[in-house]
Structure formats: structure tokens, C-alpha cells
Amino acid sequence: MDQIVDFLLRWIHLFAGIIWVGHNYASVIQRPNFRPPGKEDLGDEQSPVYMALLGREHGTFRYAAIVTWLAGVGMLWQRGVLIDAITLKGYLAVIGIGFWIGTLMLANLWLILWPNQKKVLGFVYAPLDERVRCARITFLSSRTNTMLSIPLLFFMVASQHGAALFA
């Protein structure tokens, strides 16, 4: 039974992580240069269908981050190594560093990126100058998470392939 739980958690973690990191990666590739939005980009008259699609896309992305993090914590807990990983003990420090990077990315998403992005997208009213300021914050926050995903993936892989080298 433990093997089935581990298998399911691993695949949930992988699938949700692809959605989460993939959204950030697509943001970097599709919109590589920051350009402050103007009135033509941030009109107050958005169609309800478009706003619903935006809400669904960004909701999927945000909740994929939570599912990814919870599945990762679940794997560590199920294997009995959660506390040692979190406290960076021994060879579990390798996956523990990955845990802390992932936790930082999750906090960045929910506490910095999303509150500002709600204003940019028009889910929360904000005057144009505030929306422009928030657009820059979301741009930098999203890029930060994308760049943090590189060492995160390194530490995740290193924990299974060569963690003894770090002990």
C-alpha cells in the first residue's frame, strides 16, 4: 500500500508541477520583454467570457502550485523523512533545499504575484497607474519563480541521484 501511495503522490507532484512551472515558462517565452500596459491593454470593459477564461487559467495555475507542494510534502511525510528534510539533516538536506525553494516559490505566487495580478487583470479595481505598477511586480515575480524552478529541479533530481555526494 505504501508503494501505491508513493507512486500516486509522485505522479500528482509531477503533473501539477508541470502545470505550475509550465505556466511560468510559457510566460517567459510568450512575453519575454516587459512593456508597461497602456489603456488599450487594460480597458475596464472586458467581456465576461474573457474574464471567466482568465480566472480559470490563473486559478488552475495557482491551485496546481498548492497541489504540487502538498504532494511533495506528502511524499516526504509518507517516507518518514519530512522533518529531517525540512531541517536539512544529512543527505536529506538536498531535498530539503528543494523543499524550501518550492515553499518560497509558493509564497511568492500567493503573497506577491497573485494580489498584484488581480489588479492587472481587472479582478480587483485599481487605477491605471496602480495597474502599471502591479504589472511590473507580477512580471518580476513570475520571472523569479521561473528562475527558481531551475535550482529546484536540480535539487529534486540530485536527492535521488547522487545525494550521498552532498552528505
Side-chain angles (χ1 to χ4, degrees):
M1 184 63 171
D2 285 343
Q3 291 175 342
I4 293 171
V5 171
D6 188 66
F7 176 81
L8 290 174
L9 286 171
R10 185 180 300 256
W11 278 101
I12 290 168
H13 187 68
L14 177 67
F15 184 71
I18 288 170
I19 293 170
W20 179 16
V21 173
H23 187 276
N24 273 335
Y25 179 74
S27 175
V28 168
I29 298 303
Q30 292 173 351
R31 294 177 293 276
N33 298 320
F34 174 74
R35 179 180 59 83
K39 289 183 181 180
E40 67 280 356
D41 299 320
L42 298 172
D44 291 328
E45 309 242 316
Q46 299 282 345
S47 79
V49 172
Y50 178 72
M51 294 305 284
L53 287 173
L54 268 180
R56 185 169 55 199
E57 175 198 353
H58 289 276
T60 300
F61 161 64
R62 288 188 327 278
Y63 287 101
I66 290 174
V67 169
T68 302
W69 190 86
L70 288 173
V73 169
M75 279 192 293
L76 294 172
W77 177 78
Q78 189 263 342
R79 295 173 185 178
V81 298
L82 179 61
I83 299 302
D84 287 344
I86 289 173
T87 57
L88 307 177
K89 289 193 179 166
Y91 74 92
L92 291 168
V94 177
I95 194 64
I97 293 170
F99 164 84
W100 286 112
I101 293 171
T103 301
L104 179 65
M105 290 171 64
L106 183 68
N108 180 31
L109 169 62
W110 279 92
L111 302 176
I112 298 171
L113 198 154
W114 180 237
N116 287 285
Q117 197 167 45
K118 286 190 288 189
K119 294 176 185 176
V120 172
L121 297 174
F123 294 140
V124 172
Y125 173 78
L128 182 60
D129 60 332
E130 174 71 4
R131 292 169 88 176
V132 170
R133 186 187 71 78
C134 290
R136 179 71 179 166
I137 293 168
T138 61
F139 170 80
L140 294 172
S141 180
S142 177
R143 294 324 186 261
T144 298
N145 268 9
T146 301
M147 293 302 109
L148 285 174
S149 67
I150 296 167
L152 172 72
L153 291 170
F154 170 79
F155 285 108
M156 286 173 60
V157 171
S159 72
Q160 294 297 312
H161 305 285
L165 297 173
F166 297 97

